[in-house]
Structures are given as structure tokens and as C-alpha cells.
Amino acid sequence: MLKKIVLENYRCFEKSVLSFRQLTVIVGSNNAGKSTIIEALRIVSLVVKKMTTANYIQPPTDLGLPQTHIGLKINLDTFQIDLRTIIYQLKNNVNATITAFFENRTKIVI
């Protein structure tokens, strides 16, 4: 089960931690980021699904991950995400990241 996600430089979230329980309801005013959270959850879901069948590759060096980590490529074309606006306030040279933490201590960095 997903315990929490951390959104960094992702759309309207500069750095936010969202914790989840067995039942979590997302509410907020217009432009509060509800759709962005759902989008992030959809991406996490896609990565988790692909992890069971993927061929793993080395992560990009600009992520600064140790070489002990493994990575995979996912296709976001079906998500209709505008990658030009995915980084918080369009910061230059700063990656947008989604980090998902699961109950079984698995950690996924996207």
C-alpha cells in the first residue's frame, strides 16, 4: 500500500509530502493541485505496474542516484501530460520528482 508521496518541483508543488491511509479523500478549492496529485498517482501506478515486466536500465546521471539503483523507461504519451509545464514555475536545470513510499519499504523515485 502507498504510504506517502513527495512531490518536488512538480507542477504547483515546490516540495510537498502527502501521506495516505487506507481511504484518503482529496479535497480543495480550484487550482489547489488536486488534479496534479491525481496525475502523480497515475504516474506512480504506471511505474509500479511496469516494474513487474520491465528490463531495467541505469538511471540518468543528472538524477545523482548511486549506481546501485536501477531504473526503467515509461511512456507518458497516453497520459496527455504537457512536459513543458511539469517543472514547478519552470525552474531551469531542476528536475521535477515524485518519490513514492510503500508499506513494504519500497521506494520509487520518478
Side-chain angles (χ1 to χ4, degrees):
M1 182 177 120
L2 180 64
K3 300 268 301 179
K4 71 178 176 179
I5 60 172
V6 178
L7 305 174
E8 294 181 80
N9 302 314
Y10 185 75
R11 300 246 187 229
C12 61
F13 296 98
E14 188 167 10
K15 180 162 184 172
S16 296
V17 178
L18 305 159
S19 297
F20 299 97
R21 296 189 177 151
Q22 194 133 15
L23 175 65
T24 301
V25 178
I26 300 171
V27 295
S29 59
N30 291 345
N31 278 339
K34 299 178 301 293
S35 296
T36 299
I37 294 168
I38 299 302
E39 178 181 276
L41 291 171
R42 288 177 59 210
I43 293 171
V44 169
S45 174
L46 178 68
V47 171
V48 168
K49 182 178 178 182
K50 186 160 184 169
M51 285 175 62
T52 60
T53 60
N55 293 323
Y56 291 97
I57 61 170
Q58 292 295 324
T61 56
D62 62 337
L63 293 178
L65 296 172
Q67 293 301 308
T68 58
H69 289 60
I70 54 177
L72 55 92
K73 288 185 179 182
I74 58 171
N75 183 359
L76 296 178
D77 292 341
T78 60
F79 276 23
Q80 299 175 348
I81 296 172
D82 185 356
L83 297 176
R84 295 170 300 172
T85 62
I86 203 164
I87 298 173
Y88 177 79
Q89 295 182 354
L90 300 175
K91 290 183 178 181
N92 293 329
N93 300 320
V94 178
N95 290 321
T97 60
I98 303 168
T99 307
F101 297 87
F102 295 85
E103 200 169 57
N104 67 357
R105 297 181 186 234
T106 299
K107 175 183 169 184
I108 297 172
V109 179
I110 303 166

